[in-house]
Amino acid sequence: NTELQIENSGDQELVSVVLYNYLGQSIKSWNTNLNSRTVSLPINVTTGIYVAHINTKIGKATKKLIIQ
């Protein structure tokens, strides 16, 4: 099992997190339980390259993930 961990500095409220595969297909999405300082989201994916889109009330962030 693999976890996606997001550390929140506290000044940004997380709204949603969406995980996409390299082809742009949505794999998982989370909309709840995102209010703690460190958010651990369980992901069960195969080896590959993924992109996480993190939406906050202030803006958006994108992070490329390599799962080995």
Side-chain angles (χ1 to χ4, degrees):
N1 290 340
T2 307
E3 286 186 344
L4 174 62
Q5 292 189 353
I6 301 170
E7 290 191 27
N8 188 358
S9 62
D11 57 348
Q12 296 185 15
E13 183 179 338
L14 297 177
V15 176
S16 66
V17 177
V18 182
L19 183 68
Y20 294 94
N21 66 9
Y22 196 67
L23 299 174
Q25 301 166 326
S26 175
I27 302 296
K28 286 232 180 205
S29 63
W30 298 270
N31 297 339
T32 57
N33 298 329
L34 301 174
N35 296 329
S36 61
R37 276 214 182 268
T38 302
V39 178
S40 296
L41 304 172
I43 56 174
N44 190 10
V45 293
T46 60
T47 300
I49 299 172
Y50 297 89
V51 177
H53 286 266
I54 303 165
N55 297 315
T56 67
K57 293 223 175 197
I58 298 172
K60 298 179 182 181
T62 303
K63 182 71 177 172
K64 183 168 94 174
L65 307 169
I66 300 173
I67 308 290
Q68 295 182 344

Short mmCIF file of all heavy atoms in Angstrom, two decimals:
data_model
loop_
_atom_site.label_atom_id
_atom_site.label_comp_id
_atom_site.label_asym_id
_atom_site.label_seq_id
_atom_site.Cartn_x
_atom_site.Cartn_y
_atom_site.Cartn_z
N ASN A 1 0.84 -1.19 0.00
CA ASN A 1 0.00 0.00 0.00
C ASN A 1 0.88 1.24 0.00
O ASN A 1 1.90 1.29 0.66
CB ASN A 1 -0.92 0.02 1.20
CG ASN A 1 -1.99 -1.03 1.08
OD1 ASN A 1 -2.28 -1.53 0.00
ND2 ASN A 1 -2.59 -1.38 2.19
N THR A 2 0.43 2.25 -0.69
CA THR A 2 1.15 3.50 -0.80
C THR A 2 0.26 4.63 -0.34
O THR A 2 -0.95 4.57 -0.50
CB THR A 2 1.55 3.73 -2.27
OG1 THR A 2 2.25 2.59 -2.75
CG2 THR A 2 2.46 4.92 -2.40
N GLU A 3 0.86 5.64 0.25
CA GLU A 3 0.09 6.80 0.71
C GLU A 3 0.63 8.06 0.06
O GLU A 3 1.84 8.21 -0.11
CB GLU A 3 0.20 6.96 2.22
CG GLU A 3 -0.58 5.97 3.01
CD GLU A 3 -0.53 6.27 4.49
OE1 GLU A 3 0.33 7.05 4.93
OE2 GLU A 3 -1.37 5.73 5.21
N LEU A 4 -0.26 8.93 -0.28
CA LEU A 4 0.09 10.27 -0.75
C LEU A 4 -0.03 11.18 0.47
O LEU A 4 -1.09 11.30 1.05
CB LEU A 4 -0.87 10.72 -1.85
CG LEU A 4 -0.74 12.14 -2.34
CD1 LEU A 4 0.63 12.37 -2.95
CD2 LEU A 4 -1.82 12.44 -3.36
N GLN A 5 1.09 11.78 0.87
CA GLN A 5 1.09 12.64 2.05
C GLN A 5 1.24 14.09 1.63
O GLN A 5 2.15 14.43 0.88
CB GLN A 5 2.20 12.24 3.00
CG GLN A 5 1.98 10.90 3.62
CD GLN A 5 2.97 10.60 4.73
OE1 GLN A 5 3.91 11.33 4.95
NE2 GLN A 5 2.72 9.51 5.43
N ILE A 6 0.34 14.92 2.14
CA ILE A 6 0.34 16.35 1.84
C ILE A 6 0.50 17.08 3.16
O ILE A 6 -0.28 16.87 4.09
CB ILE A 6 -0.97 16.77 1.14
CG1 ILE A 6 -1.14 15.98 -0.15
CG2 ILE A 6 -0.98 18.27 0.89
CD1 ILE A 6 -2.50 16.13 -0.78
N GLU A 7 1.50 17.93 3.24
CA GLU A 7 1.71 18.74 4.43
C GLU A 7 1.14 20.13 4.18
O GLU A 7 1.53 20.80 3.23
CB GLU A 7 3.19 18.82 4.78
CG GLU A 7 3.73 17.51 5.27
CD GLU A 7 5.11 17.63 5.87
OE1 GLU A 7 5.45 18.72 6.35
OE2 GLU A 7 5.83 16.63 5.83
N ASN A 8 0.22 20.53 5.04
CA ASN A 8 -0.45 21.82 4.92
C ASN A 8 0.16 22.77 5.93
O ASN A 8 0.21 22.47 7.12
CB ASN A 8 -1.94 21.65 5.16
CG ASN A 8 -2.72 22.89 4.86
OD1 ASN A 8 -2.16 23.92 4.51
ND2 ASN A 8 -4.03 22.81 4.99
N SER A 9 0.60 23.92 5.47
CA SER A 9 1.21 24.90 6.37
C SER A 9 0.19 25.54 7.31
O SER A 9 0.56 26.23 8.24
CB SER A 9 1.94 25.97 5.57
OG SER A 9 1.01 26.68 4.76
N GLY A 10 -1.08 25.33 7.06
CA GLY A 10 -2.12 25.85 7.94
C GLY A 10 -2.83 27.07 7.42
O GLY A 10 -3.93 27.38 7.83
N ASP A 11 -2.21 27.79 6.48
CA ASP A 11 -2.84 29.00 5.97
C ASP A 11 -3.69 28.75 4.73
O ASP A 11 -4.36 29.64 4.24
CB ASP A 11 -1.79 30.08 5.69
CG ASP A 11 -0.73 29.62 4.71
OD1 ASP A 11 -0.67 28.41 4.43
OD2 ASP A 11 0.04 30.47 4.23
N GLN A 12 -3.66 27.52 4.21
CA GLN A 12 -4.46 27.19 3.04
C GLN A 12 -5.41 26.04 3.38
O GLN A 12 -4.99 25.03 3.92
CB GLN A 12 -3.58 26.78 1.87
CG GLN A 12 -2.69 27.89 1.37
CD GLN A 12 -1.93 27.47 0.14
OE1 GLN A 12 -2.24 26.49 -0.50
NE2 GLN A 12 -0.90 28.23 -0.20
N GLU A 13 -6.66 26.23 3.05
CA GLU A 13 -7.66 25.17 3.30
C GLU A 13 -7.78 24.31 2.05
O GLU A 13 -8.09 24.82 0.97
CB GLU A 13 -9.01 25.79 3.65
CG GLU A 13 -10.06 24.77 3.98
CD GLU A 13 -11.39 25.42 4.35
OE1 GLU A 13 -11.39 26.60 4.73
OE2 GLU A 13 -12.41 24.74 4.24
N LEU A 14 -7.50 23.01 2.19
CA LEU A 14 -7.60 22.10 1.06
C LEU A 14 -9.06 21.83 0.73
O LEU A 14 -9.87 21.57 1.62
CB LEU A 14 -6.90 20.79 1.36
CG LEU A 14 -5.39 20.85 1.59
CD1 LEU A 14 -4.86 19.46 1.94
CD2 LEU A 14 -4.67 21.40 0.40
N VAL A 15 -9.40 21.91 -0.54
CA VAL A 15 -10.77 21.66 -0.99
C VAL A 15 -10.88 20.26 -1.58
O VAL A 15 -11.79 19.51 -1.23
CB VAL A 15 -11.19 22.72 -2.02
CG1 VAL A 15 -12.58 22.43 -2.56
CG2 VAL A 15 -11.14 24.11 -1.41
N SER A 16 -9.95 19.90 -2.47
CA SER A 16 -9.99 18.57 -3.09
C SER A 16 -8.62 18.20 -3.61
O SER A 16 -7.76 19.05 -3.85
CB SER A 16 -11.00 18.53 -4.23
OG SER A 16 -10.58 19.37 -5.29
N VAL A 17 -8.42 16.90 -3.77
CA VAL A 17 -7.20 16.35 -4.36
C VAL A 17 -7.64 15.32 -5.39
O VAL A 17 -8.49 14.48 -5.11
CB VAL A 17 -6.30 15.69 -3.29
CG1 VAL A 17 -5.07 15.07 -3.94
CG2 VAL A 17 -5.92 16.67 -2.21
N VAL A 18 -7.07 15.43 -6.60
CA VAL A 18 -7.40 14.48 -7.66
C VAL A 18 -6.08 13.90 -8.19
O VAL A 18 -5.14 14.64 -8.45
CB VAL A 18 -8.17 15.15 -8.81
CG1 VAL A 18 -8.53 14.13 -9.89
CG2 VAL A 18 -9.43 15.83 -8.30
N LEU A 19 -6.04 12.57 -8.34
CA LEU A 19 -4.86 11.87 -8.85
C LEU A 19 -5.15 11.41 -10.27
O LEU A 19 -6.16 10.75 -10.52
CB LEU A 19 -4.52 10.69 -7.95
CG LEU A 19 -3.27 9.90 -8.30
CD1 LEU A 19 -2.02 10.76 -8.07
CD2 LEU A 19 -3.18 8.63 -7.49
N TYR A 20 -4.26 11.78 -11.20
CA TYR A 20 -4.40 11.41 -12.61
C TYR A 20 -3.23 10.52 -13.02
O TYR A 20 -2.12 10.68 -12.51
CB TYR A 20 -4.37 12.66 -13.50
CG TYR A 20 -5.54 13.58 -13.32
CD1 TYR A 20 -5.46 14.66 -12.46
CD2 TYR A 20 -6.72 13.38 -14.02
CE1 TYR A 20 -6.53 15.52 -12.29
CE2 TYR A 20 -7.80 14.23 -13.85
CZ TYR A 20 -7.69 15.30 -12.99
OH TYR A 20 -8.75 16.14 -12.82
N ASN A 21 -3.48 9.61 -13.96
CA ASN A 21 -2.38 8.84 -14.52
C ASN A 21 -1.72 9.66 -15.64
O ASN A 21 -2.15 10.78 -15.93
CB ASN A 21 -2.84 7.45 -15.01
CG ASN A 21 -3.80 7.50 -16.17
OD1 ASN A 21 -4.04 8.55 -16.77
ND2 ASN A 21 -4.37 6.37 -16.50
N TYR A 22 -0.69 9.11 -16.26
CA TYR A 22 0.07 9.85 -17.25
C TYR A 22 -0.74 10.17 -18.51
O TYR A 22 -0.44 11.10 -19.24
CB TYR A 22 1.34 9.07 -17.62
CG TYR A 22 2.37 9.90 -18.32
CD1 TYR A 22 3.02 10.93 -17.66
CD2 TYR A 22 2.70 9.67 -19.65
CE1 TYR A 22 3.97 11.70 -18.29
CE2 TYR A 22 3.65 10.43 -20.29
CZ TYR A 22 4.28 11.45 -19.60
OH TYR A 22 5.21 12.22 -20.23
N LEU A 23 -1.81 9.41 -18.75
CA LEU A 23 -2.68 9.64 -19.90
C LEU A 23 -3.74 10.70 -19.62
O LEU A 23 -4.52 11.03 -20.51
CB LEU A 23 -3.35 8.34 -20.33
CG LEU A 23 -2.40 7.22 -20.76
CD1 LEU A 23 -3.18 5.94 -21.02
CD2 LEU A 23 -1.61 7.64 -21.98
N GLY A 24 -3.79 11.21 -18.40
CA GLY A 24 -4.76 12.24 -18.05
C GLY A 24 -6.08 11.69 -17.53
O GLY A 24 -7.03 12.44 -17.36
N GLN A 25 -6.13 10.40 -17.25
CA GLN A 25 -7.35 9.79 -16.72
C GLN A 25 -7.38 9.93 -15.21
O GLN A 25 -6.38 9.66 -14.54
CB GLN A 25 -7.42 8.31 -17.12
CG GLN A 25 -7.41 8.09 -18.60
CD GLN A 25 -7.14 6.64 -18.96
OE1 GLN A 25 -6.39 5.96 -18.27
NE2 GLN A 25 -7.72 6.19 -20.06
N SER A 26 -8.52 10.32 -14.67
CA SER A 26 -8.68 10.46 -13.23
C SER A 26 -8.67 9.08 -12.58
O SER A 26 -9.46 8.21 -12.95
CB SER A 26 -9.99 11.19 -12.92
OG SER A 26 -10.20 11.23 -11.55
N ILE A 27 -7.78 8.89 -11.61
CA ILE A 27 -7.65 7.60 -10.92
C ILE A 27 -8.39 7.62 -9.59
O ILE A 27 -9.15 6.71 -9.28
CB ILE A 27 -6.16 7.26 -10.68
CG1 ILE A 27 -5.40 7.23 -12.01
CG2 ILE A 27 -6.00 5.96 -9.93
CD1 ILE A 27 -5.86 6.15 -12.95
N LYS A 28 -8.16 8.65 -8.80
CA LYS A 28 -8.79 8.80 -7.47
C LYS A 28 -9.06 10.26 -7.20
O LYS A 28 -8.36 11.13 -7.71
CB LYS A 28 -7.86 8.27 -6.38
CG LYS A 28 -7.75 6.79 -6.31
CD LYS A 28 -8.03 6.39 -4.90
CE LYS A 28 -7.93 4.90 -4.77
NZ LYS A 28 -8.69 4.40 -3.70
N SER A 29 -10.06 10.52 -6.36
CA SER A 29 -10.31 11.89 -5.92
C SER A 29 -10.76 11.87 -4.46
O SER A 29 -11.39 10.91 -4.01
CB SER A 29 -11.35 12.57 -6.80
OG SER A 29 -12.59 11.91 -6.69
N TRP A 30 -10.40 12.93 -3.74
CA TRP A 30 -10.74 13.07 -2.33
C TRP A 30 -11.31 14.47 -2.11
O TRP A 30 -10.76 15.45 -2.61
CB TRP A 30 -9.49 12.91 -1.45
CG TRP A 30 -8.85 11.57 -1.56
CD1 TRP A 30 -9.11 10.47 -0.80
CD2 TRP A 30 -7.82 11.18 -2.46
NE1 TRP A 30 -8.31 9.43 -1.17
CE2 TRP A 30 -7.51 9.85 -2.21
CE3 TRP A 30 -7.13 11.85 -3.49
CZ2 TRP A 30 -6.54 9.15 -2.92
CZ3 TRP A 30 -6.17 11.16 -4.20
CH2 TRP A 30 -5.89 9.84 -3.91
N ASN A 31 -12.42 14.54 -1.36
CA ASN A 31 -13.06 15.82 -1.06
C ASN A 31 -13.28 16.03 0.44
O ASN A 31 -13.67 17.10 0.85
CB ASN A 31 -14.41 15.93 -1.76
CG ASN A 31 -14.28 15.90 -3.26
OD1 ASN A 31 -13.24 16.19 -3.81
ND2 ASN A 31 -15.35 15.55 -3.94
N THR A 32 -13.05 15.00 1.23
CA THR A 32 -13.34 15.08 2.66
C THR A 32 -12.09 14.74 3.47
O THR A 32 -11.15 14.14 2.97
CB THR A 32 -14.47 14.12 3.06
OG1 THR A 32 -14.09 12.79 2.69
CG2 THR A 32 -15.77 14.48 2.38
N ASN A 33 -12.10 15.11 4.75
CA ASN A 33 -11.01 14.85 5.69
C ASN A 33 -9.68 15.45 5.23
O ASN A 33 -8.64 14.81 5.30
CB ASN A 33 -10.85 13.35 5.95
CG ASN A 33 -12.09 12.75 6.57
OD1 ASN A 33 -12.80 13.41 7.31
ND2 ASN A 33 -12.35 11.51 6.26
N LEU A 34 -9.72 16.68 4.75
CA LEU A 34 -8.52 17.34 4.25
C LEU A 34 -8.12 18.53 5.13
O LEU A 34 -7.38 19.39 4.69
CB LEU A 34 -8.75 17.83 2.81
CG LEU A 34 -9.12 16.77 1.78
CD1 LEU A 34 -9.45 17.41 0.45
CD2 LEU A 34 -8.01 15.76 1.62
N ASN A 35 -8.60 18.58 6.37
CA ASN A 35 -8.40 19.76 7.20
C ASN A 35 -7.26 19.66 8.20
O ASN A 35 -7.03 20.58 8.96
CB ASN A 35 -9.70 20.11 7.93
CG ASN A 35 -10.79 20.50 6.95
OD1 ASN A 35 -10.50 21.04 5.91
ND2 ASN A 35 -12.02 20.21 7.30
N SER A 36 -6.53 18.56 8.24
CA SER A 36 -5.44 18.45 9.20
C SER A 36 -4.13 18.96 8.59
O SER A 36 -4.04 19.21 7.40
CB SER A 36 -5.27 16.99 9.64
OG SER A 36 -4.96 16.18 8.55
N ARG A 37 -3.12 19.14 9.44
CA ARG A 37 -1.82 19.66 8.98
C ARG A 37 -1.14 18.70 8.01
O ARG A 37 -0.56 19.10 7.03
CB ARG A 37 -0.90 19.91 10.15
CG ARG A 37 -1.12 21.24 10.77
CD ARG A 37 0.24 21.73 11.28
NE ARG A 37 0.15 23.00 11.95
CZ ARG A 37 0.31 24.15 11.33
NH1 ARG A 37 0.53 24.19 10.05
NH2 ARG A 37 0.24 25.27 12.00
N THR A 38 -1.18 17.41 8.32
CA THR A 38 -0.64 16.39 7.42
C THR A 38 -1.77 15.47 7.00
O THR A 38 -2.41 14.84 7.84
CB THR A 38 0.46 15.56 8.12
OG1 THR A 38 1.50 16.44 8.55
CG2 THR A 38 1.04 14.54 7.18
N VAL A 39 -2.00 15.41 5.71
CA VAL A 39 -3.08 14.60 5.15
C VAL A 39 -2.44 13.37 4.51
O VAL A 39 -1.56 13.50 3.65
CB VAL A 39 -3.90 15.39 4.11
CG1 VAL A 39 -4.98 14.54 3.51
CG2 VAL A 39 -4.47 16.65 4.73
N SER A 40 -2.86 12.18 4.91
CA SER A 40 -2.39 10.93 4.32
C SER A 40 -3.54 10.30 3.56
O SER A 40 -4.54 9.91 4.14
CB SER A 40 -1.89 9.98 5.40
OG SER A 40 -0.77 10.51 6.05
N LEU A 41 -3.36 10.21 2.25
CA LEU A 41 -4.40 9.66 1.39
C LEU A 41 -3.94 8.31 0.84
O LEU A 41 -2.88 8.23 0.21
CB LEU A 41 -4.69 10.62 0.24
CG LEU A 41 -5.09 12.03 0.64
CD1 LEU A 41 -5.16 12.94 -0.57
CD2 LEU A 41 -6.41 12.02 1.37
N PRO A 42 -4.70 7.25 1.08
CA PRO A 42 -4.28 5.93 0.60
C PRO A 42 -4.46 5.82 -0.92
O PRO A 42 -5.50 6.17 -1.46
CB PRO A 42 -5.23 4.98 1.33
CG PRO A 42 -6.44 5.80 1.61
CD PRO A 42 -5.96 7.21 1.81
N ILE A 43 -3.40 5.40 -1.58
CA ILE A 43 -3.49 5.13 -3.02
C ILE A 43 -2.93 3.74 -3.25
O ILE A 43 -1.93 3.35 -2.65
CB ILE A 43 -2.73 6.18 -3.86
CG1 ILE A 43 -1.27 6.29 -3.45
CG2 ILE A 43 -3.40 7.53 -3.78
CD1 ILE A 43 -0.44 7.18 -4.34
N ASN A 44 -3.58 2.99 -4.08
CA ASN A 44 -3.14 1.64 -4.41
C ASN A 44 -3.00 1.60 -5.93
O ASN A 44 -3.94 1.22 -6.63
CB ASN A 44 -4.14 0.61 -3.89
CG ASN A 44 -3.60 -0.79 -4.00
OD1 ASN A 44 -2.42 -0.99 -4.29
ND2 ASN A 44 -4.45 -1.77 -3.78
N VAL A 45 -1.84 2.02 -6.42
CA VAL A 45 -1.62 2.11 -7.86
C VAL A 45 -0.37 1.32 -8.24
O VAL A 45 0.46 1.01 -7.40
CB VAL A 45 -1.47 3.59 -8.31
CG1 VAL A 45 -2.77 4.33 -8.12
CG2 VAL A 45 -0.35 4.28 -7.58
N THR A 46 -0.25 1.05 -9.52
CA THR A 46 0.91 0.34 -10.03
C THR A 46 2.06 1.32 -10.26
O THR A 46 1.89 2.53 -10.18
CB THR A 46 0.57 -0.38 -11.34
OG1 THR A 46 0.15 0.59 -12.30
CG2 THR A 46 -0.54 -1.40 -11.14
N THR A 47 3.20 0.78 -10.58
CA THR A 47 4.38 1.60 -10.89
C THR A 47 4.07 2.49 -12.09
O THR A 47 3.48 2.05 -13.06
CB THR A 47 5.57 0.67 -11.21
OG1 THR A 47 5.82 -0.14 -10.08
CG2 THR A 47 6.80 1.46 -11.55
N GLY A 48 4.47 3.75 -11.99
CA GLY A 48 4.25 4.66 -13.10
C GLY A 48 4.36 6.10 -12.69
O GLY A 48 4.76 6.43 -11.56
N ILE A 49 3.99 6.98 -13.60
CA ILE A 49 4.03 8.42 -13.38
C ILE A 49 2.60 8.91 -13.21
O ILE A 49 1.73 8.59 -14.03
CB ILE A 49 4.73 9.14 -14.54
CG1 ILE A 49 6.18 8.64 -14.67
CG2 ILE A 49 4.70 10.64 -14.35
CD1 ILE A 49 6.90 9.14 -15.88
N TYR A 50 2.38 9.71 -12.18
CA TYR A 50 1.06 10.23 -11.87
C TYR A 50 1.15 11.73 -11.61
O TYR A 50 2.23 12.26 -11.35
CB TYR A 50 0.47 9.53 -10.63
CG TYR A 50 0.27 8.05 -10.86
CD1 TYR A 50 1.29 7.14 -10.59
CD2 TYR A 50 -0.92 7.57 -11.35
CE1 TYR A 50 1.12 5.79 -10.81
CE2 TYR A 50 -1.11 6.21 -11.58
CZ TYR A 50 -0.08 5.33 -11.31
OH TYR A 50 -0.26 3.99 -11.54
N VAL A 51 0.02 12.40 -11.69
CA VAL A 51 -0.04 13.83 -11.43
C VAL A 51 -1.13 14.07 -10.39
O VAL A 51 -2.25 13.58 -10.53
CB VAL A 51 -0.36 14.62 -12.72
CG1 VAL A 51 -0.50 16.09 -12.43
CG2 VAL A 51 0.72 14.39 -13.76
N ALA A 52 -0.78 14.81 -9.34
CA ALA A 52 -1.75 15.15 -8.29
C ALA A 52 -2.13 16.63 -8.45
O ALA A 52 -1.25 17.49 -8.50
CB ALA A 52 -1.16 14.90 -6.92
N HIS A 53 -3.43 16.90 -8.55
CA HIS A 53 -3.94 18.26 -8.59
C HIS A 53 -4.53 18.55 -7.22
O HIS A 53 -5.46 17.88 -6.78
CB HIS A 53 -5.03 18.41 -9.65
CG HIS A 53 -4.50 18.43 -11.04
ND1 HIS A 53 -4.21 19.58 -11.70
CD2 HIS A 53 -4.21 17.42 -11.89
CE1 HIS A 53 -3.75 19.29 -12.91
NE2 HIS A 53 -3.74 17.98 -13.04
N ILE A 54 -3.99 19.56 -6.55
CA ILE A 54 -4.43 19.93 -5.20
C ILE A 54 -5.13 21.28 -5.29
O ILE A 54 -4.51 22.27 -5.70
CB ILE A 54 -3.23 20.00 -4.24
CG1 ILE A 54 -2.50 18.65 -4.25
CG2 ILE A 54 -3.68 20.39 -2.85
CD1 ILE A 54 -1.12 18.70 -3.64
N ASN A 55 -6.41 21.30 -4.97
CA ASN A 55 -7.20 22.53 -5.01
C ASN A 55 -7.37 23.08 -3.61
O ASN A 55 -7.78 22.37 -2.70
CB ASN A 55 -8.57 22.27 -5.63
CG ASN A 55 -8.48 21.81 -7.07
OD1 ASN A 55 -7.73 22.38 -7.85
ND2 ASN A 55 -9.21 20.77 -7.40
N THR A 56 -7.05 24.37 -3.44
CA THR A 56 -7.25 25.05 -2.17
C THR A 56 -8.20 26.21 -2.40
O THR A 56 -8.57 26.51 -3.53
CB THR A 56 -5.92 25.58 -1.60
OG1 THR A 56 -5.44 26.62 -2.45
CG2 THR A 56 -4.88 24.49 -1.48
N LYS A 57 -8.60 26.86 -1.32
CA LYS A 57 -9.48 28.03 -1.46
C LYS A 57 -8.75 29.20 -2.11
O LYS A 57 -9.37 30.08 -2.68
CB LYS A 57 -10.02 28.44 -0.09
CG LYS A 57 -10.94 27.42 0.48
CD LYS A 57 -12.13 28.06 1.09
CE LYS A 57 -13.06 26.94 1.53
NZ LYS A 57 -14.37 27.42 1.77
N ILE A 58 -7.41 29.20 -2.03
CA ILE A 58 -6.62 30.29 -2.59
C ILE A 58 -6.25 30.03 -4.05
O ILE A 58 -6.22 30.93 -4.87
CB ILE A 58 -5.34 30.51 -1.76
CG1 ILE A 58 -5.73 30.91 -0.34
CG2 ILE A 58 -4.43 31.55 -2.37
CD1 ILE A 58 -4.56 30.97 0.62
N GLY A 59 -5.96 28.78 -4.40
CA GLY A 59 -5.53 28.45 -5.76
C GLY A 59 -5.33 26.96 -5.93
O GLY A 59 -5.83 26.16 -5.16
N LYS A 60 -4.57 26.61 -6.96
CA LYS A 60 -4.33 25.21 -7.29
C LYS A 60 -2.83 24.93 -7.33
O LYS A 60 -2.03 25.81 -7.61
CB LYS A 60 -4.92 24.87 -8.66
CG LYS A 60 -6.41 25.05 -8.74
CD LYS A 60 -6.91 24.73 -10.13
CE LYS A 60 -8.42 24.96 -10.20
NZ LYS A 60 -8.95 24.66 -11.51
N ALA A 61 -2.48 23.66 -7.06
CA ALA A 61 -1.10 23.22 -7.17
C ALA A 61 -1.10 21.88 -7.89
O ALA A 61 -2.03 21.09 -7.76
CB ALA A 61 -0.47 23.07 -5.79
N THR A 62 -0.05 21.65 -8.66
CA THR A 62 0.10 20.40 -9.40
C THR A 62 1.45 19.81 -9.07
O THR A 62 2.46 20.52 -9.03
CB THR A 62 0.00 20.65 -10.92
OG1 THR A 62 -1.25 21.28 -11.20
CG2 THR A 62 0.08 19.36 -11.69
N LYS A 63 1.48 18.49 -8.82
CA LYS A 63 2.72 17.83 -8.46
C LYS A 63 2.84 16.52 -9.23
O LYS A 63 1.88 15.73 -9.28
CB LYS A 63 2.74 17.54 -6.95
CG LYS A 63 3.97 16.90 -6.44
CD LYS A 63 5.12 17.86 -6.44
CE LYS A 63 6.34 17.19 -5.83
NZ LYS A 63 7.52 17.98 -5.97
N LYS A 64 3.99 16.30 -9.86
CA LYS A 64 4.24 15.05 -10.57
C LYS A 64 4.78 14.02 -9.58
O LYS A 64 5.67 14.33 -8.77
CB LYS A 64 5.24 15.27 -11.69
CG LYS A 64 5.50 14.04 -12.53
CD LYS A 64 6.25 14.37 -13.80
CE LYS A 64 7.71 14.20 -13.57
NZ LYS A 64 8.50 14.36 -14.81
N LEU A 65 4.24 12.81 -9.62
CA LEU A 65 4.64 11.74 -8.71
C LEU A 65 5.19 10.56 -9.51
O LEU A 65 4.60 10.19 -10.53
CB LEU A 65 3.46 11.25 -7.89
CG LEU A 65 2.67 12.30 -7.14
CD1 LEU A 65 1.38 11.71 -6.62
CD2 LEU A 65 3.49 12.85 -6.01
N ILE A 66 6.28 9.99 -9.07
CA ILE A 66 6.82 8.79 -9.68
C ILE A 66 6.73 7.67 -8.65
O ILE A 66 7.34 7.75 -7.59
CB ILE A 66 8.27 9.00 -10.13
CG1 ILE A 66 8.34 10.13 -11.16
CG2 ILE A 66 8.85 7.70 -10.70
CD1 ILE A 66 9.74 10.54 -11.55
N ILE A 67 5.94 6.66 -8.96
CA ILE A 67 5.73 5.52 -8.07
C ILE A 67 6.57 4.36 -8.59
O ILE A 67 6.43 3.96 -9.74
CB ILE A 67 4.24 5.11 -8.01
CG1 ILE A 67 3.34 6.28 -7.69
CG2 ILE A 67 4.05 3.95 -7.04
CD1 ILE A 67 3.46 6.80 -6.31
N GLN A 68 7.47 3.84 -7.73
CA GLN A 68 8.32 2.72 -8.16
C GLN A 68 8.00 1.49 -7.35
O GLN A 68 7.65 1.52 -6.23
CB GLN A 68 9.78 3.07 -7.97
CG GLN A 68 10.20 4.19 -8.87
CD GLN A 68 11.67 4.51 -8.72
OE1 GLN A 68 12.33 4.11 -7.78
NE2 GLN A 68 12.19 5.26 -9.66
#
